Amino acid sequence: MFKIIPILKDDLDKVKAYLNTDTKGMILACYEEEGITGAASFDIEGGKGFFEDMKTDKTEMENVMGKAVLNFLELHGILDVYAKTGTKDEYFKTLGFKPAEKEENGWGLYLNLEGYFTHQH
């Protein structure tokens, strides 16, 4: 059994090291019996979501972890989400991201969440 929730305060440094990030944004972590087995960092600015990074110990959890971030954003009224182009392009494309009309600061992938969880995507 697993649960994906915002990281627990005591786990902040451990999860940042796990993701190899110094994000100032939010982090969701996947907790299982054996401990933290996944995490994703993202931020919200100006009514837009910025999906920074994601890592899991189990390949089959990648889609679950990514959709947890998107669900969190959508539930908080954030429909425009960006991801950086680079090492995880194929992963973000599996979630439905497409090339952004205009790339800014490396945020070259875009996904609109309107209807994402209510229609086939």
Side-chain angles (χ1 to χ4, degrees), residues 6 26-27 41 47 52-53 55 57 70 73 85 89 97-98 103 113 116:
M26 293 171 245
I27 301 175
S41 62
E52 297 172 345
D53 202 4
K55 177 182 174 184
D57 292 347
L70 298 177
L73 291 168
T85 51
D89 290 8
F97 281 83
K98 307 268 189 244
E103 182 175 327
L113 293 177
Y116 188 88

Side-chain angles (χ1 to χ4, degrees), residues 45-104:
E45 184 180 314
K48 298 174 185 170
F50 296 90
F51 196 145
E52 297 172 345
D53 202 4
M54 189 279 312
K55 177 182 174 184
T56 63
D57 292 347
K58 302 172 183 173
T59 306
E60 63 271 15
M61 290 300 291
E62 289 178 352
N63 196 36
V64 175
M65 194 78 231
K67 293 222 174 151
V69 169
L70 298 177
N71 188 52
F72 182 97
L73 291 168
E74 194 258 354
L75 287 172
H76 288 84
I78 306 299
L79 298 178
D80 296 315
V81 184
Y82 293 86
K84 288 219 174 193
T85 51
T87 60
K88 290 192 169 40
D89 290 8
E90 290 306 312
Y91 166 71
F92 285 117
K93 288 177 184 176
T94 67
L95 292 175
F97 281 83
K98 307 268 189 244
E101 286 183 22
K102 181 180 175 189
E103 182 175 327
E104 291 186 36

